[in-house]
Amino acid sequence: MMSWGDRLVESKAFRFSIKGVFWGVIAIALLTIFMIGNFLFKIYVLDYRFDDGKLHPPIEATTINDQLKG
């Protein structure tokens, strides 16, 4: 006779929930890596400034935008 623990572990619902948690953790990890990579790309490649907890575009882009507005 199987105990309730063995039934739970061998059930399809348990197996699907474990797979769902596994793929969910992978998706969150990839999203986090993408967000960090995007931040570093903007700072090191596009020369954004990170002041006061905000990203500011490069000075050249700001100057061009100001000229277009005025």
Side-chain angles (χ1 to χ4, degrees):
M1 190 162 113
M2 294 174 59
S3 68
W4 63 270
D6 292 334
R7 283 190 206 171
L8 175 68
V9 171
E10 292 179 5
S11 69
K12 286 185 181 180
F14 182 76
R15 208 172 302 142
F16 283 135
S17 64
I18 293 296
K19 286 181 183 178
V21 169
F22 175 74
W23 288 112
V25 167
I26 287 178
I28 291 171
L30 288 174
L31 179 65
T32 305
I33 290 170
F34 174 76
M35 289 170 60
I36 293 170
N38 188 21
F39 177 75
L40 294 175
F41 176 76
K42 283 184 176 181
I43 287 181
Y44 290 112
V45 177
L46 300 179
D47 293 328
Y48 273 62
R49 291 173 289 122
F50 187 66
D51 295 330
D52 301 327
K54 295 180 183 177
L55 273 177
H56 301 283
I59 295 170
E60 298 83 17
T62 307
T63 311
I64 292 170
N65 287 338
D66 290 341
Q67 290 174 354
L68 291 174
K69 288 179 186 175

